[in-house]
Amino acid sequence: MNTTDPADRVGSGPPASAPLVLRFADIGAESLPEVGGKAANLGVLAAAGFPVPPGVCVTTEAYRRVAAGAGLEEVLAALDATPPDDVPALGALATRARELVLRAPVPDDVADAVRREARGPVAVRSSATAEDLPDASFAGQQDTYLDVTGADAVLEAVRSCWASLWTDRAVTYRAAHGIDHRSVRLAVVIQEMVRAEAAGVMFTANPVTGRRREAVIDAAPGLGEAVVSGAVNPDRFVVDLATGRITERRPGDRPPAVRSAAGGAPRPGTADAGTTAAHDGTTNDGTVGAGTAATGPCLTDAQVTALAALGGRVEDHYGAPQDIEWALDGDGTLWLTQSRPVTTLFPIPRHLPGEEPDGDAGPRVYFSINVAQGVYRPFTPMGASAFRLLSAGAADLLGFPVRDRVAGAPVLAEAAGRLFADVTGVMRSRAVLPRLLDVMETRSARVLRGLAGDPRFSVTRRSVRPALLRAARVVVRHRIPARIAEALVNPPAARRRAERLARELPARFASPPGAASPDRLDRVERTLGSRAIRAMPSFLPAPATGFALLGLARLLLGDRVRPGELQAVLRGLPHNVTTEMDLELWRLAGRIRADGDAAALLLGVPAAELAGRFHDGSLLPAVAEGLRGFLAAYGMRAVAEIDLGVARWSEDPEHVIGVLANYLRLDDPALAPDVLFARGAAEAERMIRTLAARAGLLRGPVVRFALGRARSLAGLRELPKFYMVSVLAAMRAELAAVGADLAGRGLLARPDDVFFLTFPEVRKALTVPGPGPVTRPGSPAVSPVDPAGSPAAAVAARRAEAARELRRRHLPRVLLSDGTEPEAVASAAPADGALTGVPASAGTVTGVARVVLDPVGAHLTPGEILVCPSTDPGWTPLFLTAGGLVMEMGGANSHGAVVAREYGIPAVVGAARATELIATGRRITVDGTSGTVVAS
């Protein structure tokens, strides 16, 4: 194959620094804009001495010049205006763009440069600039052509690769990932073919279980196309990279092998299947390859271990798990035809340096705090930093003082912007955590119990005495017995005291007017790191007593209580601050409904526009006054509200306005939330009388008392969170003032950038003399891009990372330190489309499913069944119009389960993969008594 000719670097128009063709030896990781992801990786592999078939790359400059004459501007403008979920429109525009590129003239110097590389047979492979990236592989989005021979055939294959930048799949993929179509260009690799005896794909980490340093190899005789395209069931080998031991062998099918043959016309490969592929399982003369009689594995054990060792070296070179395409030629030589990062693996949680938990250095068990709290989105850096302070206060409260309060409890770790708790120590004591999670997050409890048989997590702490002593100190110090007694004897008094503290304490933590930024930061750290947590024991005894009494009633009733009956006692539960919030919003909707102009406004104008009008004072008074009253009481709340960095409803009421509009669409009086709530309360009272009578003469009065007190007290379960959210909102206001100070000094572009920093970073920024704001023509004051000492660059990078992480669909609830996701190891797809979860709210409902991943802006038609990953109080306004609930996480006493019971809607929680397996618009039946969801 020719190397780059100096003439290839000069064309009609481009500067000498814009080459048309580059050898692999001239390509490095920094060459991505010129050569795309595939070629950049091949250049890195070749430079590191790995066995890569020789080749060159036709650079993005060649594509740029062809595309410039294709007339794509109109199509690009239309793509900019097309929503990412409008797949038909995207497909039509992709077809138009592809046709334009195929018809565009190829400049002579570009054509000549390509023809000079036509020494066949070669593979002609697309290499896009948005491809094989750390966060999105784009695998299979562009085309590859194989066994191409002849100058004209190579040029035609290159042109077809350019056009494949505009395949339907590539355009929709970019739209879904928020990548600007204008920013992507295509290079083309021209590479010698490998005459493969066997080929396939290797992952250096298990892509299903997540386990690192466990290679999974798929192999088939002949070319690798059948493996990549899924046309065959390949041989599969699993290898422990640390020992080289083959831990699993699974033979595949033996259909006719796909083999390469010299000469002939170009054949398309399956969207980037690699250099050793043929699109339709035939050789390029249309005949089926030979060598198909073998029945044993296509690789020997020695070849498998050699391949795995090679993959391990590639991973070590990149410092991350790799998805590798490989081929074995007739001489027994292994070739690498591609390596890209494995983008689907969830990162392993990491502790802050020096903050790892004490104890052995063995494997660790991490439990997702995000999952437990129903927050799928990543935390903002300031939100995570605030959580660390809260964890330090909680550790102090429980008798585990921390070394560094700002760093938080050593058990905290982070991955992909999510928080995890290292529960290895708790697992070794084997008692409390799974039992607690049984009622809060049943799937996680099930996973943790599944680890009980793993000898790596065997019990080493058998005595419960230390834990009991610490608990006793907390109980005595905070007068817990007296508060329990008060809750039993006088529930209204206990309730009034707790509610008063929840509303008054957060205001006491605020700084005085005019406080300096360093003083505000000090106050926030003291409040979150100590003062706020010290009040928590004041809120817990009353609801805990209520649920304890519910358990007592269950014990007394024994087998006299039927499934779902005790849940019915908790319907229409009074004194729940979240339920009261939802009903207040419903009442506001009723007042707006009575005003025709106000109702028409909410139903006819987008919520985002109405939110803007509210802030600028131009919103219709009938709506603005009601909204202002609601936000005065509940404006500190938000979706994902445990993240201090998330804007509160008082700052951005778009979600609240959208929910009001949703309420206005409910026109059946019998389905009105207040009517349903009252009906649920009446049913609960009847159930108490029924169960008391069924308990018998002696036990009946005790059951009646216990269930009555449970109804009086259990609703207070939301009060501790309401208190903490109020504290977070107050501290957010303090930090917003600090952010305004930093923005005014030119160290931040805008005040809310402060939430993309941590407490130590903000403290450091406050010591940096700012350059002052910069004013650009026609724009408000903004900060310089990155002055000395400015955190602006870090903020920009973190905002971009947060935007990428918002697209992550799968979040493991339990993860091991070797990357293994235990639930994935044991999981199996449900049979016949049925889902099984945890019964959360009794009853059966059949209706149309509505899958909602983010409640902001979500529209739920009355009676639809809400299918979601999780919920927090920001979701609950949707419950008022939902006919039922299916939730991927949670237990019988998780937030969503409790609210569903209170609203009297059937609910199943802890239903694995519900949002993946249930499609919006599908009719399903939810049985909240048995915990099943089936297609209707």
Side-chain angles (χ1 to χ4, degrees), residues 743-744 746 748-751 772-785:
L748 293 177
R750 57 193 206 214
V774 175
T775 302
R776 295 173 183 162
S779 68
V782 296
S783 76
V785 176

Side-chain angles (χ1 to χ4, degrees), residues 377 637-642 646-647 649 655 854-856 872 874-875:
R377 61 181 295 142
R637 309 216 74 158
V639 176
E641 60 193 0
I642 63 169
V646 171
W649 287 342
H655 175 58
D854 186 339
V856 177
D872 66 8
W875 285 76

Side-chain angles (χ1 to χ4, degrees), residues 348-349 364-366 451 456-457 814-820 822:
I348 297 173
R364 315 299 298 180
V365 182
Y366 294 101
L451 293 173
R456 297 176 298 173
F457 307 114
V814 177
L815 201 62
L816 304 187
S817 54
D818 66 357
T820 302

Side-chain angles (χ1 to χ4, degrees), residues 788-887:
S790 168
V795 168
R798 290 170 184 175
R799 283 189 179 276
E801 176 65 19
R804 287 192 294 269
E805 279 297 330
L806 282 172
R807 295 193 292 267
R808 188 184 292 275
R809 291 292 300 273
H810 176 66
L811 187 61
R813 48 201 4 93
V814 177
L815 201 62
L816 304 187
S817 54
D818 66 357
T820 302
E821 186 180 343
E823 190 173 34
V825 174
S827 66
D832 302 324
L835 278 175
T836 301
V838 177
S841 181
T844 301
V845 62
T846 298
V848 174
R850 172 73 64 176
V851 179
V852 178
L853 302 178
D854 186 339
V856 177
H859 170 63
L860 199 68
T861 300
E864 286 185 324
I865 296 171
L866 175 62
V867 182
C868 58
S870 60
T871 64
D872 66 8
W875 285 76
T876 55
L878 293 176
F879 285 42
L880 291 182
T881 54
L885 170 71
V886 180
M887 201 164 71

Side-chain angles (χ1 to χ4, degrees), residues 274-529:
T275 62
T276 58
H279 178 65
D280 54 5
T282 64
T283 58
N284 59 4
D285 61 358
T287 61
V288 177
T292 64
T295 57
C298 62
L299 297 178
T300 66
D301 282 3
Q303 289 168 336
V304 170
T305 53
L307 180 57
L310 179 60
R313 293 197 299 274
V314 174
E315 177 179 311
D316 291 341
H317 181 75
Y318 280 102
Q322 296 292 298
D323 168 5
I324 296 169
E325 293 174 21
W326 58 271
L328 178 72
D329 68 16
D331 296 329
T333 302
L334 285 169
W335 295 94
L336 301 180
T337 58
Q338 178 55 18
S339 184
R340 60 172 67 90
V342 183
T343 60
T344 56
L345 295 173
F346 194 87
I348 297 173
R350 302 294 183 193
H351 297 272
L352 292 181
E355 293 298 324
E356 296 82 359
D358 296 329
D360 62 77
R364 315 299 298 180
V365 182
Y366 294 101
F367 169 70
S368 173
I369 294 171
N370 280 68
V371 167
Q373 290 294 322
V375 179
Y376 259 40
R377 61 181 295 142
F379 272 74
T380 60
M382 183 59 75
S385 198
F387 205 98
R388 289 185 177 278
L389 279 168
L390 289 170
S391 74
D396 279 353
L397 182 68
L398 297 174
F400 298 98
V402 301
R403 292 186 294 267
D404 182 348
R405 192 169 294 277
V406 173
V411 297
L412 279 187
E414 291 187 49
R418 279 80 174 183
L419 290 172
F420 288 80
D422 185 331
V423 296
T424 313
V426 180
M427 286 293 297
R428 295 194 184 286
S429 63
R430 192 70 94 247
V432 180
L433 187 60
R435 295 178 186 175
L436 289 175
L437 291 175
D438 277 335
V439 296
M440 297 305 297
E441 221 296 284
T442 306
R443 280 176 63 190
S444 296
R446 193 179 303 128
V447 173
L448 291 173
R449 280 201 176 89
L451 293 173
D454 191 325
R456 297 176 298 173
F457 307 114
S458 58
V459 175
T460 59
R461 305 172 188 174
R462 299 185 180 278
S463 175
V464 297
R465 184 179 179 185
L468 291 176
L469 288 175
R470 283 190 293 270
R473 284 194 288 269
V474 174
V475 166
V476 171
R477 185 183 305 124
H478 294 277
R479 302 177 58 239
I480 301 298
R483 301 194 188 284
I484 291 174
E486 181 186 44
L488 282 170
V489 175
N490 190 350
R495 189 170 59 248
R496 286 192 298 270
R497 184 181 55 77
E499 289 174 345
R500 184 180 67 254
L501 285 174
R503 294 190 180 277
E504 292 179 359
L505 276 180
R508 299 180 191 175
F509 297 147
S511 297
S517 290
D519 294 336
R520 290 184 185 274
L521 195 63
D522 289 342
R523 182 175 289 268
V524 173
E525 290 186 4
R526 285 197 306 271
T527 298
L528 298 179

